[in-house]
Amino acid sequence: MFKQLLILGVLITSLFGQVRELTDENFEKATRRGLVVVEFWATWNEVNKVVILDEWDNFDAKVYRLKICSYPQIQADNEVVILPTIIIYDDGVEVNRLQGDMSFSLEVTTKQLDKIIDEILMSKF
């Protein structure tokens, strides 16, 4: 019984509260499925990864990361030139973009992210 509960806990943790990685195989499909937040990042800039996304529990948007060093064509197609960059897509269409500054860092709060998501959702009505 304990083993089953442990497996269930791991499964729930992996479904909620964890930022998933995107690849060239799943990027288009993932970004076309409702409200989606994608952080574009690079291993050489990992120190500036937007870690609040790992703690952000917003059930209105799915949250992903894309490692641009592995998928430069997706980076180019989305015109990502500053890291980190967060792009918010709504059914595959970019509706908002947050970009780092010249120090390659991006300071944003979960409150600011919640406000952006709320504004996007409200604009649909």
Side-chain angles (χ1 to χ4, degrees):
M1 180 70 165
F2 176 73
K3 185 177 179 182
Q4 290 171 329
L5 288 175
L6 182 62
I7 292 170
L8 180 61
V10 169
L11 180 61
I12 290 173
T13 301
S14 67
L15 292 174
F16 304 104
Q18 183 179 6
V19 178
R20 290 165 277 183
E21 284 288 331
L22 291 176
T23 67
D24 57 355
E25 295 171 353
N26 65 4
F27 181 83
E28 278 197 46
K29 183 177 180 182
T31 56
R32 294 183 188 275
R33 299 173 83 183
L35 204 51
V36 176
V37 176
V38 179
E39 177 189 2
F40 291 79
W41 72 286
T43 53
W44 54 264
N45 192 36
E46 189 162 4
V47 69
N48 290 319
K49 190 185 281 187
V50 184
V51 294
I52 65 156
L53 292 179
D54 297 307
E55 303 161 8
W56 185 37
D57 48 342
N58 182 303
F59 291 103
D60 293 321
K62 296 170 211 70
V63 181
Y64 298 97
R65 281 197 176 97
L66 181 98
K67 189 184 323 178
I68 63 162
C69 359
S70 300
Y71 307 103
Q73 188 60 52
I74 296 174
Q75 173 193 4
D77 292 346
N78 287 273
E79 300 175 355
V80 174
V81 294
I82 298 172
L83 293 180
T85 292
I86 293 175
I87 299 179
I88 302 172
Y89 299 91
D90 190 10
D91 294 328
V93 176
E94 180 180 330
V95 293
N96 203 310
R97 180 181 290 235
L98 302 167
Q99 298 180 135
D101 57 23
M102 292 307 289
S103 68
F104 297 103
S105 63
L106 171 61
E107 293 190 24
V108 65
T109 65
T110 56
K111 193 175 211 173
Q112 289 169 313
L113 290 169
D114 284 334
K115 182 179 178 196
I116 291 168
I117 296 299
D118 289 343
E119 287 172 358
I120 292 167
L121 292 173
M122 294 303 279
S123 70
K124 290 183 170 188
F125 298 106

